[in-house]
């Protein structure tokens, strides 16, 4: 009676071993997708909105900075001649003198006054005077180097900042400017018109002051203008 019991026990053991082997080799179930709660979704949306807001603010800031730069440039530029106005030229002059003080460089300041602009304005109108000023600005710009600066101080007065010139060279350059402007000619209402220019020169260096340099160059220009008074105030010849 005991033998059948042993056989039954052996079969039961074999069954347990077989069942265990099947459990080990059975494929694992795929992980269920993680559900995003309402709180997590809200945080994601809020983060995306914040990033979009930051991008928008950065774009507006860049646009505002560009606009400020444009306004600053416009404030320093003569609207008629597209060259530095008095404010812009004085800023360039101050920068140049600061550079000269630091690096022991040198240069020259030339103030130039158009001799016969008022008679032209009175005879032919301010549009004619504007045409003369534009031609003079173009002539001066063509006569200088890329590192030099020409600006309009106001009315019929210009100024030039020239780098690395001796006194002899600066005066020779001023004479060239005068001659180039003297040779300009215009025709208004059938009349042949010429202008003219007088210059004053001051050397710049490490001990220069911008305001004082402008005053000295302006005074030298009036001395030169007095020497040119024997010339015709305005040349009008029928074309």
């Amino acid at each position: 009676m005991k033998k059948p019991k042993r056989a039954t026990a052996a079969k039961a053991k074999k069954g347990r071993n077989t069942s265990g082997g099947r459990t080990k080799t059975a494929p694992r179930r795929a992980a269920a997708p993680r559900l995003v709660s309402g709180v997590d979704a809200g945080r994601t949306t809020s983060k995306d909105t914040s990033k979009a807001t930051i991008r928008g603010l950065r774009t507006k800031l860049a646009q505002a900075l560009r606009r400020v730069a444009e306004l600053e440039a416009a404030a320093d530029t003569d609207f008629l001649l597209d060259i530095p106005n008095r404010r812009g030229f004085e800023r360039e002059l101050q920068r140049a003198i600061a550079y000269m003080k630091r690096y022991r460089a040198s240069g020259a300041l030339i103030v130039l006054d158009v001799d016969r602009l008022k008679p032209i304005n009175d005879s032919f109108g301010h549009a004619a005077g504007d045409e003369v000023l534009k031609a003079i600005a173009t002539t001066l710009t063509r006569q200088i180097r890329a590192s030099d600066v020409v600006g309009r101080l106001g009315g019929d007065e210009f100024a030039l900042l020239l780098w690395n010139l001796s006194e002899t060279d600066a005066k020779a350059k001023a004479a060239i400017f005068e001659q180039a402007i003297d040779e300009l000619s215009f025709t208004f209402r059938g009349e042949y018109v010429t202008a003219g220019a007088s210059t004053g020169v001051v050397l710049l260096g490490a001990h220069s002051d911008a305001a004082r340099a402008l005053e000295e160059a302006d005074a030298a220009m009036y001395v030169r203008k007095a020497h040119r008074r024997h010339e015709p105030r305005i040349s009008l010849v029928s074309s």
Side-chain angles (χ1 to χ4, degrees):
M1 297 295 294
K2 292 180 181 180
K3 288 182 179 179
K5 291 181 180 179
R6 290 177 181 174
T8 302
K11 289 181 180 180
K13 183 178 181 180
K14 184 178 180 181
R16 288 196 298 271
N17 291 339
T18 303
S19 176
R22 288 176 181 175
T23 302
K24 290 180 180 179
T25 58
R28 297 179 61 183
R29 290 184 178 182
R34 181 175 177 270
L35 296 178
V36 180
S37 66
V39 175
D40 291 338
R43 289 175 179 173
T44 302
T45 302
S46 178
K47 186 181 294 184
D48 293 340
T49 302
S50 299
K51 289 181 178 180
T53 301
I54 292 172
R55 286 194 298 268
L57 291 174
R58 286 176 176 171
T59 300
K60 291 181 179 179
L61 176 60
Q63 293 173 347
L65 291 175
R66 283 195 298 269
R67 182 56 179 163
V68 169
E70 291 172 357
L71 292 173
E72 288 180 347
D76 289 344
T77 303
D78 185 273
F79 72 94
L80 176 65
L81 306 180
D82 197 27
I83 59 176
N85 56 18
R86 175 179 284 274
R87 180 175 183 267
F89 185 84
E90 288 181 348
R91 180 176 295 181
E92 291 295 329
L93 181 60
Q94 290 170 353
R95 289 175 179 172
I97 291 176
Y99 181 92
M100 292 173 187
K101 290 180 178 179
R102 181 172 183 179
Y103 297 103
R104 300 293 177 182
S106 63
L109 171 65
I110 298 177
V111 170
L112 181 148
D113 187 82
V114 182
D115 287 336
R116 298 185 288 274
L117 185 63
K118 187 178 185 303
I120 293 175
N121 284 332
D122 293 342
S123 299
F124 306 104
H126 288 277
D130 289 347
E131 184 175 336
V132 173
L133 290 173
K134 290 177 182 178
I136 290 174
T138 300
T139 300
L140 295 176
T141 302
R142 289 175 178 173
Q143 295 282 344
I144 63 174
R145 298 162 294 184
S147 58
D148 300 331
V149 181
V150 57
R152 183 186 182 190
L153 299 182
D156 55 2
E157 196 169 64
F158 293 80
L160 299 104
L161 169 62
L162 309 177
W163 286 90
N164 302 321
L165 290 180
S166 65
E167 183 176 3
T168 300
D169 292 337
K171 290 182 177 180
K173 196 69 176 176
I176 291 174
F177 294 148
E178 288 183 356
Q179 181 179 356
I181 295 173
D182 287 346
E183 293 175 353
L184 291 176
S185 61
F186 308 88
T187 302
F188 302 122
R189 300 176 190 168
E191 301 290 337
Y192 177 81
V193 180
T194 61
S198 300
T199 59
V201 181
V202 169
L203 294 182
L204 300 173
H207 301 290
S208 296
D209 174 77
R212 184 172 179 80
L214 281 169
E215 291 176 359
E216 292 177 353
D218 198 57
M221 179 271 295
Y222 278 108
V223 172
R224 173 61 177 161
K225 184 181 285 289
H227 291 163
R228 289 169 58 92
R229 283 179 180 170
H230 66 280
E231 298 179 357
R233 298 302 300 167
I234 185 168
S235 174
L236 298 176
V237 180
S238 297
S239 59

